[in-house]
Amino acid sequence: MVLNDDIICMHYKNGRLYEKKLSYEALSKSLAAILLEKNQEISFNFDKINLEINNIFNNKSYKSEEIKYVNAIPCRYQDDIFACMIYASRKDDITNQSDLVLFRTSTKILEASLTSVFLSENLDITKHNLDNLVLNNNIGMLYVSNDIMYLSNTLMNYLRFQWNHYSK
């Protein structure tokens, strides 16, 4: 499968957030590629392994940047990975259990926030599209939510109902 879309990477460093567009090919030899392949979080202590893994922001190896410890934790929506958080350290061993719990928790908070924004944007787009469909095509619309039935004005007038919503 060939993916032509760019991916957006964000990098928080020294109190600033940087954004960069990358192609999927740029993920090769990166923590993100390993995470996607294994479909689970990963942690490395580069003093104990001999892997050439590159930082996707500058394409330099973590070893050449003197990074000793990394954690990569996926963000998921409906079992699909849509983002990952990468934590890196030059000195402190961040691969221990207490740090991992902290990183997992912060990643879950970010995952929930990103998912909420995504769902809210999709809901707004869907509502806008449905409103345009109903207004521009003069058709009726019926929507049921929480045991309440909502009718568009067009459908309400066509069925000669007096109210545009009904409950059980």
Side-chain angles (χ1 to χ4, degrees):
M1 182 167 107
V2 177
L3 299 170
N4 295 324
D5 295 332
D6 288 336
I7 55 173
I8 297 174
C9 298
M10 296 191 177
H11 184 208
Y12 185 78
K13 183 178 178 181
N14 299 329
R16 296 185 65 144
L17 184 64
Y18 301 91
E19 183 177 306
K20 185 175 185 179
K21 279 190 178 183
L22 299 170
S23 66
Y24 280 94
E25 292 79 33
L27 290 180
S28 66
K29 293 187 177 181
S30 74
L31 285 172
I34 296 169
L35 182 133
L36 288 169
E37 180 183 321
K38 293 190 176 286
N39 199 28
Q40 64 186 22
E41 75 179 50
I42 52 175
S43 295
F44 291 119
N45 175 342
F46 287 111
D47 287 338
K48 295 182 179 180
I49 64 165
N50 190 22
L51 279 178
E52 194 70 22
I53 301 174
N54 294 337
N55 181 333
I56 58 176
F57 289 95
N58 58 20
N59 210 27
K60 294 180 183 175
S61 73
Y62 282 106
K63 283 187 178 183
S64 72
E65 293 186 305
E66 298 178 357
I67 300 292
K68 290 187 178 183
Y69 307 98
V70 293
N71 294 316
I73 302 173
C75 294
R76 297 178 188 275
Y77 177 69
Q78 295 181 343
D79 294 327
D80 291 326
I81 296 173
F82 70 89
C84 72
M85 296 294 295
I86 297 173
Y87 304 93
S89 174
R90 287 189 168 92
K91 301 185 282 189
D92 299 325
D93 183 357
I94 60 170
T95 61
N96 61 61
Q97 283 301 314
S98 59
D99 285 333
L100 283 173
V101 168
L102 177 66
F103 294 138
R104 287 177 188 138
T105 303
S106 61
T107 300
K108 283 294 180 189
I109 291 168
L110 179 65
E111 176 185 270
S113 296
L114 291 172
T115 301
S116 176
V117 168
F118 171 76
L119 292 174
S120 177
E121 286 177 355
N122 277 350
L123 184 61
D124 289 345
I125 291 168
T126 301
K127 183 183 179 314
H128 175 75
N129 289 341
L130 288 174
D131 286 347
N132 282 337
L133 180 68
V134 170
L135 290 173
N136 296 330
N137 293 307
N138 199 25
I139 63 172
M141 192 89 164
L142 173 72
Y143 176 73
V144 178
S145 175
N146 297 327
D147 294 330
I148 299 174
M149 180 175 63
Y150 299 92
L151 291 85
S152 67
N153 288 336
T154 304
L155 185 59
M156 182 183 75
N157 292 334
Y158 178 75
L159 296 175
R160 297 189 179 118
F161 286 171
Q162 295 179 350
W163 307 100
N164 69 347
H165 62 278
Y166 295 88
S167 60
K168 288 184 178 181

